[in-house]
Amino acid sequence: LIFMNIDNVSVKQGELMQGAPEEAHFDAIVINGAITGLPKSLKDQLGIGGRLVVIEKINDNLSQAVLIQNHGNTFSRIELFNAFAGQIF
């Protein structure tokens, strides 16, 4: 990212369930891998208008890319497309 002069992005590694609450509230969160359920703790780290993109495992044969958006006191969920990625949670 430095070589591309992108300075408004932060890459985090660590426990998925925890996220990075000390740096919340985020405009965007991208989870690089499939999960079986989205932890509430991650949704709570989105700022108002913030978006979270993740591949959610539906069953052994189906996963979907999902967009979650924080609207203040509610969240929307849009199923984008069928996808496949290695499960991380």
Side-chain angles (χ1 to χ4, degrees):
L1 297 173
I2 293 170
F3 297 114
M4 297 170 63
N5 293 322
I6 298 173
D7 60 1
N8 63 343
V9 173
S10 177
V11 177
K12 298 292 178 194
Q13 291 181 312
E15 292 295 322
L16 175 63
M17 292 290 288
Q18 296 174 2
E22 66 281 355
E23 296 185 38
H25 290 98
F26 296 101
D27 295 328
I29 298 173
V30 176
I31 299 174
N32 188 19
I35 62 172
T36 56
L38 182 63
K40 182 181 180 312
S41 59
L42 289 178
K43 287 175 35 176
D44 290 344
Q45 292 177 41
L46 288 172
I48 295 175
R51 297 155 323 275
L52 186 149
V53 177
V54 65
I55 296 174
E56 191 169 49
K57 187 172 181 177
I58 306 302
N59 58 44
D60 287 340
N61 300 314
L62 178 64
S63 297
Q64 291 182 325
V66 176
L67 171 67
I68 307 291
Q69 187 166 10
N70 181 351
H71 298 284
N73 55 0
T74 186
F75 292 90
S76 63
R77 172 191 169 94
I78 300 172
E79 296 167 353
L80 301 170
F81 53 86
N82 292 343
F84 179 80
Q87 185 170 340
I88 58 173
F89 173 75

